[in-house]
Amino acid sequence: MQSNMENVSRDYAKILQSADLDKEINPLCTNIEDMLARLDEFETLLASVRAESNGMMANHVCTILGFGDSFEQLKTRIDSLEQFVGVVSANLSEVERSVDIAEEELHVTDYSLKGLLLKPLKAKLGASDPSTLSSLPRSNLIQEEYQPVEIYKSDDYFGKSEEENYVAK
């Protein structure tokens, strides 16, 4: 067993003596040094980005917080605009309903120029017959007078226009 150990140790010694350690290890050392240099550059770059990011955040957060009142005013204006759009939508629905009733009263189904001019005249002539009065459609008339749909006033939402203020003075 002792002789085997000596043989193995001699073999290892021959391998180590025959190997050129500088030739084998130098490329590894060079690669490791390059990787350490790149790692150091990356660390420096990362620290720079973090510092700039923190600086930008500090500057912009203060600026954004400074606009707090403006954001509140903007929020109020947006809410008012949404309310205004809702009122306009409701008014438009009422006007469309009124137009539908008027078309029913005038029996308008043909939207050509001829249909729009002649059909209501024929309907008026036929409406004077007392037998058709009981079957008249719904109407926009109250006590024989047209009742227009009440429409929003833009001054309620936007204030008086510049032209009206100028004329009023």
Side-chain angles (χ1 to χ4, degrees):
M1 179 86 137
Q2 184 92 8
S3 68
N4 283 341
M5 290 268 244
E6 288 177 12
N7 288 338
V8 170
S9 63
R10 266 187 259 129
D11 289 341
Y12 276 118
K14 285 181 189 176
I15 291 174
L16 289 175
Q17 288 170 354
S18 68
D20 186 9
L21 292 179
D22 287 339
K23 185 178 176 185
E24 298 289 331
I25 292 178
N26 279 341
L28 287 174
C29 289
T30 304
N31 285 341
I32 290 173
E33 287 173 3
D34 286 345
M35 287 173 64
L36 286 173
R38 288 184 185 143
L39 184 61
D40 188 42
E41 289 173 5
F42 179 73
E43 186 178 1
T44 304
L45 181 65
L46 185 61
S48 172
V49 167
R50 282 185 182 154
E52 190 163 329
S53 176
N54 288 340
M56 287 172 46
M57 286 296 291
N59 290 339
H60 293 298
V61 166
C62 291
T63 305
I64 289 170
L65 291 176
F67 286 119
D69 294 337
S70 298
F71 285 137
E72 199 61 38
Q73 183 182 20
L74 181 62
K75 185 182 102 175
T76 303
R77 290 178 69 190
I78 290 172
D79 290 344
S80 296
L81 182 62
E82 286 177 346
Q83 182 184 10
F84 172 71
V85 168
V87 168
V88 170
S89 176
N91 281 167
L92 181 62
S93 297
E94 281 297 312
V95 168
E96 286 175 345
R97 187 184 65 73
S98 180
V99 168
D100 290 343
I101 290 172
E103 287 175 347
E104 281 180 27
E105 285 179 332
L106 299 175
H107 305 288
V108 174
T109 55
D110 182 8
Y111 291 98
S112 67
L113 187 59
K114 182 179 176 184
L116 289 173
L117 292 176
L118 297 179
K119 191 97 173 193
L121 293 175
K122 289 180 183 177
K124 283 289 184 189
L125 292 175
S128 61
D129 184 16
S131 64
T132 60
L133 286 178
S134 61
S135 65
L136 286 177
R138 53 193 172 143
S139 176
N140 286 329
L141 300 177
I142 296 176
Q143 297 175 354
E144 297 298 319
E145 190 173 315
Y146 172 72
Q147 299 299 314
V149 175
E150 189 173 325
I151 298 179
Y152 70 93
K153 292 178 177 45
S154 60
D155 292 344
D156 295 344
Y157 297 93
F158 300 108
K160 293 231 182 232
S161 69
E162 292 295 322
E163 292 173 11
E164 289 178 21
N165 286 339
Y166 183 73
V167 170
K169 292 179 183 180

